[in-house]
Amino acid sequence: DAKTTQPNSMESNEEEPVHLPCNHSTISGTDYIHWYRQLPSQGPEYVIHGLTSNVNNRMASLAIAEDRKSSTLILHRATLRDAAVYYCIRGGGTSYGKLTFGQGTILTVHP
Amino acid sequence: DAGITQSPRHKVTETGTPVTLRCHQTENHRYMYWYRQDPGHGLRLIHYSYGVKDTDKGEVSDGYSVSRSKTEDFLLTLESATSSQTSVYFCAISELLAGGPMDTQYFGPGTRLTVL
């Protein structure tokens, strides 16, 4: 039970913004939202995480709804290299770092 | 990139044979994990370790055992491989900060195992 819901796939054009949604309606007050992505034939890599406030880093932005039941990963300008499976994961500090991966969203970026 | 290596990277074996996969890290991180990835299932946690000689089961631990005698090495053993264990196996490491959020996990390149 991944406890998050994501669309199976999304498409984007190169250099356009991409908004990847995630629903986590049963999230607890101490759960963080983490995003990882997996490029073809590679292991997953960390993208971003947050608790309540919106977060930005060099890779992406994370917008978390006020009720924390959903979040959106934002890629500001998609590149071909951003084509990957994106995983939205909820987890807290008491779980020994165990990540429960769902199916993720397959992002296709068109040139 | 985090210093994580997995060996072997590819292995073909026969049903009933023992197989050991190795994960080696140079980051001195306390936590190590083994996942398997299969089409239609995403990544699933097999076992994890929270210190030397400290391990626990994950979601799909049946048929697998692990050992961690040194901080840097985490071994996954299939005592008697079955075709259902054909999969891609990923190792990950993290350093959980006390009182903080779940820390970033860094993943290795994976081992593709085929059991005939």
Side-chain angles (χ1 to χ4, degrees), chain A residues 19 21 26 33 46 56 68 72 74 81 83 92 100-102 104 106 108:
Chain A
H19 292 236
T26 60
I33 298 300
Y46 168 81
N56 301 292
R68 300 210 327 121
T72 302
I74 303 166
R81 194 191 175 278
T100 300
F101 285 80
I106 300 171
T108 301

Side-chain angles (χ1 to χ4, degrees), chain A residues 32 36 38 96-97 99 103, chain B residues 33 37 40 90 101-102 105 107:
Chain A
Y32 282 74
Y36 283 73
Q38 188 173 18
Y96 290 111
L99 297 177
Q103 295 299 309
Chain B
Y33 313 83
Q37 185 169 35
F90 289 100
M102 197 166 66
Q105 286 195 16
F107 285 78

Side-chain angles (χ1 to χ4, degrees), chain A residues 40-62:
Chain A
S41 301
Q42 295 186 27
E45 64 175 348
Y46 168 81
V47 177
I48 200 167
H49 78 274
L51 183 61
T52 56
S53 303
N54 294 345
V55 184
N56 301 292
N57 66 21
R58 64 175 181 82
M59 291 181 69
S61 296
L62 176 60

Side-chain angles (χ1 to χ4, degrees), chain A residues 1 32 34 36 38 41-46 49 87 89-103, chain B residues 9 30-31 33 35 37 40-43 45 48 50 57 59 90 94 96 100-109:
Chain A
D1 180 12
Y32 282 74
H34 301 254
Y36 283 73
Q38 188 173 18
S41 301
Q42 295 186 27
E45 64 175 348
Y46 168 81
H49 78 274
Y87 298 99
I89 301 164
R90 46 173 280 198
T94 59
S95 59
Y96 290 111
K98 290 182 288 182
L99 297 177
T100 300
F101 285 80
Q103 295 299 309
Chain B
R9 294 292 314 279
R30 179 181 174 189
Y31 296 87
Y33 313 83
Y35 294 86
Q37 185 169 35
H41 287 280
L43 280 93
L45 182 66
Y48 65 100
Y50 46 97
K57 297 178 180 180
E59 178 188 1
F90 289 100
S94 74
L96 205 64
M102 197 166 66
D103 200 4
T104 298
Q105 286 195 16
Y106 300 95
F107 285 78

